[in-house]
Amino acid sequence: MLLLLHRAVALGLRPACRFKSTHSRICIQACSTNDSFQHQCPSRAFSTDNSSTRGWRVMGTLLGLGAVLAYHDRRCRAAQESPHIYTREEVKSHSSPETRIWVTLGSEVFDVTEFVDLHPGGPSKLMLAAGGPLEPFWALYAVHNQSHIREILAQYKIGELSPEDKMPSTLKTSDPYADDPIRHPALKVNSQRPFNAEPPPELLTETYITPNPIFFTRNHLPVPNLDPDTYRLHIVGPPGRRPLSLSLDDLHKFPKHEITVTLQCAGNRRSEMSQVKEVRGLEWRTGAISTARWAGARLCDVLAKAGHQLRETEAHVCFEGLDSDPTGTAYGASIPLARAMDPEAEVLLAYEMNGQPLPRDHGFPVRVVVPGVVGARHVKWLGKVSVEPEESYSHWQRRDYKGFCPSVDWDSVDFDSSPSIQELPVQSAITEPKDGEMVEAGEVTVKGYAWSGGGRAVIRVDVSLDGGLTWQVAELDREEQRPRKAWAWRLWQLQAPVPPGKKELNIVCKAVDDSYNVQPDNVAPIWNLRGVLSNAWHRVHVRVAS
């Protein structure tokens, strides 16, 4: 009977230990010769007046404790034994669910079969390393170099690599980010590898045009270092037409077109969604948006040169960058052909930014600029353009940058059920004063930006000093906003008296565009698991000097 109880408890504990790190601490105590462990369990004595129920409870407690100690005693003995040794060839043979999925990290071997479907980046990303080392893939994403990630992986360890089976020399690669460009120290970094950063709010709206060094940077992969003399842009032609291979000089022969365009990341202001409920993504504040004067060849001119024209059936222009991961998978995205071929949409193959060649972080030598559309479609380091019957099959087009109902979680999400983000909703944010700042009594100056996707012009920005109870209209800058071609933001400011006796101000702003779209008043109804499309009223709390 006792043996059966011991086996049942031990078997029940076995799967639990797979997910908890507490067994190591129990092992240390159970294997220790220090008698202090005994005193952690209070002594109990049976008395004649105890009920039979209490007696059974005590007996059950003792049996359970005995089972735990016996089980962990076995674990301790097993831990002292030599680990199982595998060769790289053995690991390589385990690369599918049928053979089980093994990976290595350093000299350790792991069976991650049960974890594949739980991988936050999706099963396909983890399967790239199946049967081989994790290092080339972990080098791309610094998030893996955290203790809790290592603890998760440790639960799946099954052995060690043979000491004679040394790491192939091909894996002794240099740091893929070692050649990244130097960045401006004012940028607020959200991740180093890949590099993602935003300008501080106090600099963001200092000028209408964002200086190149502090323009927000969104990279998904290491920055390629391309030679402008050997650079070629490949344009796939329609059936029966030869593809074009364009040098940088060839692009300069097309009529040069210049436009001022605001780029905004889909995750701008994601940090505010994180305050409601956890989301996955970089914690962008209000600075994942910037404005520049772009110059280059119009995409419609280049596509026409390759022989493309509008179609009666649905079609998409697919872009592929020259940035890639260790497998050669490049960043990609697409836009509808109708937008690409419309001269009024002013889509560019840009080679200049604010009168200078594109900086490396921003796509040198050529990038796509799609006015009024989410930044994810403005593919940098452009290498290939093609026209396809369906949108790009890139992960970033099909499995990211989509919005969902607040009730959808990572267990129920269906990325095929939602369209890819193209035009963004109306947006505004306060850049001055900063949250938590002390302002002088008398008069307060509030500054910020406002923008709407699809070329919709911002016609008004409303500002409140009391959390939305009363409102005042801010003054908009005088930059020209062309009807349906308002590609750039409006900077705004409000100078208002501080109400007498006020010790604090709850400043709020909201923008209205020319379709009378307005920002929602709070984040909760627009929350989504990726934290995109965050455009609720922006709120700043400040104190008033006495």
Side-chain angles (χ1 to χ4, degrees), residues 475-507:
E475 179 184 354
L476 301 177
D477 65 53
R478 297 182 180 180
E479 292 290 335
E480 179 187 4
Q481 294 253 290
R482 296 174 294 167
R484 297 298 162 184
K485 296 174 74 173
W487 308 132
W489 61 13
R490 302 294 297 269
L491 302 185
W492 56 265
Q493 72 170 9
L494 173 75
Q495 291 181 310
V498 175
K502 282 287 185 181
K503 300 298 182 184
E504 58 182 32
L505 301 176
N506 292 310
I507 308 175

Side-chain angles (χ1 to χ4, degrees), residues 118-189:
L118 304 175
H119 185 245
S124 62
K125 293 294 183 185
L126 183 52
M127 286 300 293
L128 291 172
L134 289 170
E135 283 91 339
F137 303 94
W138 279 26
L140 283 175
Y141 301 103
V143 66
H144 293 102
N145 296 317
Q146 298 183 46
S147 59
H148 74 278
I149 302 293
R150 300 281 179 150
E151 289 170 6
I152 293 171
L153 184 62
Q155 298 165 17
Y156 298 92
K157 182 175 176 179
I158 57 172
E160 301 271 348
L161 280 173
S162 170
E164 290 78 29
D165 199 358
K166 295 181 180 179
M167 179 80 74
S169 58
T170 54
L171 293 175
K172 295 178 182 177
T173 55
S174 60
D175 179 357
Y177 295 95
D179 195 34
D180 268 18
I182 297 173
R183 279 87 181 204
H184 196 284
L187 290 172
K188 302 297 184 182
V189 179

Side-chain angles (χ1 to χ4, degrees), residues 7-25:
R7 285 178 177 170
V9 174
L11 287 171
L13 284 170
R14 198 168 297 164
C17 289
R18 185 180 188 88
F19 300 99
K20 297 184 182 291
S21 59
T22 54
H23 71 265
S24 60
R25 294 191 292 272

Side-chain angles (χ1 to χ4, degrees), residues 44 71 84 110 123 126 142 209 218 228 257 331 333 337 372 421 427 447 537:
R44 298 187 182 273
Y71 175 65
H84 197 99
F110 307 88
L126 183 52
I209 298 294
R218 177 65 174 111
H257 193 70
Y331 183 86
L337 177 63
I421 298 171
Q427 174 73 281
K447 295 181 179 181
W537 294 357

Side-chain angles (χ1 to χ4, degrees), residues 446-461:
V446 185
K447 295 181 179 181
Y449 64 77
W451 180 78
S452 191
R456 292 178 289 275
V458 170
I459 60 171
R460 195 178 78 239
V461 173

Side-chain angles (χ1 to χ4, degrees), residues 218 220 266-267 270 273 278-282 395-396 399-404 408 410 413 415 527-533:
R218 177 65 174 111
H220 296 82
R270 178 181 283 126
M273 283 196 173
E278 182 182 2
V279 297
R280 292 184 186 173
L282 296 169
H395 166 85
W396 293 279
R399 292 294 179 268
D400 202 349
Y401 299 121
K402 295 185 176 187
F404 296 95
V408 172
W410 288 101
V413 65
F415 277 94
W527 182 94
N528 58 86
L529 76 175
R530 275 291 280 120
V532 294
L533 307 170

